[in-house]
Structures are given as structure tokens and as C-alpha cells.
Amino acid sequence: MSTPPPVRVPYGPHPDQWGELHLPAPGGGRAGGGWRGIAVVIHGGYWRDRYTAELGAPVARDLAEHGIVAWNLEYRRAASDEPDGSRTAGDGGWPATFLDVAAGIDRLADVPALGLLAGDDAARLAELLSAGRVVGLGHSAGGHLAVWAAGRHRLPEGAPGADPAGEGPRVALRGVVSQAGVLGLAEAEARGLSSHAARNLMGGASTDSAELAQAFMLADPMCALPIGVPVHAVHSRDDDAVPFALSEAYVAAARAAGDPAVLHVTSGDHMAVIDPAHEAYRLCRSLAEELLG
């Protein structure tokens, strides 16, 4: 039985502030029809607005086909240099991109009461949220954002993405599968990855100013350790877009800090981990299932 069409839900007034909820087919999921849990899918593209949540759609559909509710999240992104030499304005970057990811994940808490879901689906979704059965699945820059989001409870008061009431996120991630993630923001900038995409995200001409250096620290998952949340970093040594070394370094630092992080060496190029036909992606799905229990 095919999965139902996704339900698009806004979490703000901007055209890029939305998520699409992909539900399993009726009777899909565990034996007896129970849904396995919820996965927040965060797409990559080096945080640039040229790349959209369409990158996450095949992953979201596949997860739903395997009994996992998928929340494919769009967010405001930073400026892009286009092939014709023009440059888009980009409404994201620091702090907008981070505020959106936090708000987009927390918006899940409202969805059961919005009257958008048919039958018992709202109650089933509410039950999963109440049980904390939510994980993150992020590719490339989305891997960075997913791991950052999993550590939101570590953010200082007043930081972008922190709960203003000091009570923690409304929807917490119980674990993350990072798919070739940019897990070291400062290291990405030091390497000049993708024409200094990290600097483009953070909005600075250099990283010398104290204000920009502080922003990098708040945005870099390496600076949030330990977060107390399992992170599975899936990465191929053949990845020529995001170096394998970034996942390797994050897992080493996380484990040294006492976090349950695991590095999974896989095959294929940078896109293999989001290709449902590739074994690298199937590993990611099985790890998400493992985190959901």
C-alpha cells in the first residue's frame, strides 16, 4: 500500500519556513501497524539557498515506506553564487538558519492539534512525541544542523535556538544519524570548504572579530560537547565534497567527552548516503531504526 501524500505545515511566515510530514501507509510500521517513530530530515547543500528540501524528499518517502514518520524540514538558507555569475540574497545564515531549524523541529509538537491529519493519525503522532521517539537524519550541512539541534539543551540562555524559558526544546532529538555531515564548522572554514561556505553561513568576511568567533562557537557542534545524545556519523572516505576527516574528528572528540558517538565507514560518493537504492543510505535507515528502538 502506498504512503499518503505529504502534509505541508508552516512554522513561520517566510516561504521557506515549512516542513512536510510524510506518514506511513495505513497499517505500515511495526507488526500490528504501529509506527516506529519520527525522523526529522534536514537537507544539505552547504547551507546555500540554491539547494532545497527536495534533496530530502526521497529519504522522507523511503522512511515513511518503512514505517517511520518523516518530517522533511525546509529552512532559510544563506546566499548562493549562481552559474550565471549573479548572487542570490539569501534570507538565512546566522542566526536565521539556526532559529528556523529549532523552530521547525519544535513545530512538530503542534501538529497533532492542527486538524490536518485524518483518522487516528493525530493521536498516533502525539503518542510518539510524548514518548520522545524523535531522531534527526541530516545530510552534509544538514548533518551539522541535526547534531547542533541535538545539543540545543547545552546552549546558553539567549543564544539562537535556545529555549527562552530555559526549559529545553519542546521536541528533543534522542539521537542523530549524520550522513556525511559537516560536523566541524571551524574546521570547515579553516579548510575553505565549498568556497568558504561556513563563512558564508555565518555572515562574516573573516573569523577574526570576537563577535563572529563567539557565533562560530555557538554554531559548531564540536564546541557543544558533550551533548549526551547518540550520534552515528556515516561517511565514505571517497567523499570529495565533505572530507571524511570531519566525521572522524567529531566522533573522536565526542567519545573523549563521554558521548556515545560511532563512526561508520561506508562506500560511495557524497550523495550515496541519501540515495535509497544505495547500501550507504540503507545503513543510515537501519541506524535511525536502531535509535528509535
Side-chain angles (χ1 to χ4, degrees), residues 234-250:
V234 181
H235 217 134
S236 169
R237 295 183 187 276
D238 296 326
D239 191 326
D240 61 1
V242 176
F244 175 84
L246 269 66
S247 287
E248 188 175 41
Y250 177 84

Side-chain angles (χ1 to χ4, degrees), residues 25 27 35 87-88 92 127 165 170 213-214 237:
W35 295 344
R87 183 170 174 82
T88 63
E127 183 179 351
R170 295 177 67 203
Q214 176 66 15
R237 295 183 187 276

Side-chain angles (χ1 to χ4, degrees), residues 1 14 28 44 50 53 67 72 78 90 107 113 126 158 166 182 185 224 226 234 236 245 260 269 272 281:
M1 186 177 295
H14 192 277
R50 182 190 316 159
N72 188 25
R107 179 62 163 161
V182 189
L185 199 62
V234 181
S236 169
D269 62 14
Y281 167 74

Side-chain angles (χ1 to χ4, degrees), residues 6-79:
V7 178
R8 181 170 293 196
V9 184
Y11 61 85
H14 192 277
D16 288 337
Q17 291 176 318
W18 53 266
E20 282 191 339
L21 196 69
H22 294 248
L23 299 179
R30 297 173 181 271
W35 295 344
R36 292 177 179 271
I38 304 167
V40 179
V41 177
I42 308 180
H43 73 86
Y46 269 118
W47 310 284
R48 293 188 172 101
D49 65 357
R50 182 190 316 159
Y51 303 98
T52 73
E54 282 301 309
L55 285 170
V59 170
R61 287 191 294 267
D62 178 82
L63 291 170
E65 288 168 0
H66 287 84
I68 298 173
V69 178
W71 178 236
N72 188 25
L73 191 62
E74 188 58 283
Y75 52 92
R76 288 174 291 173
R77 303 167 306 287

Side-chain angles (χ1 to χ4, degrees), residues 171-185:
V171 177
L173 302 180
R174 69 190 295 174
V176 174
V177 180
S178 169
Q179 303 164 288
V182 189
L183 299 186
L185 199 62

Side-chain angles (χ1 to χ4, degrees), residues 13 97 121 158 205 217 219 243:
T97 293
D121 290 348
M217 288 185 65

Side-chain angles (χ1 to χ4, degrees), residues 126-140:
E127 183 179 351
L128 293 175
L129 289 164
S130 178
R133 299 178 62 82
V134 187
V135 300
L137 196 71
H139 174 237
S140 193

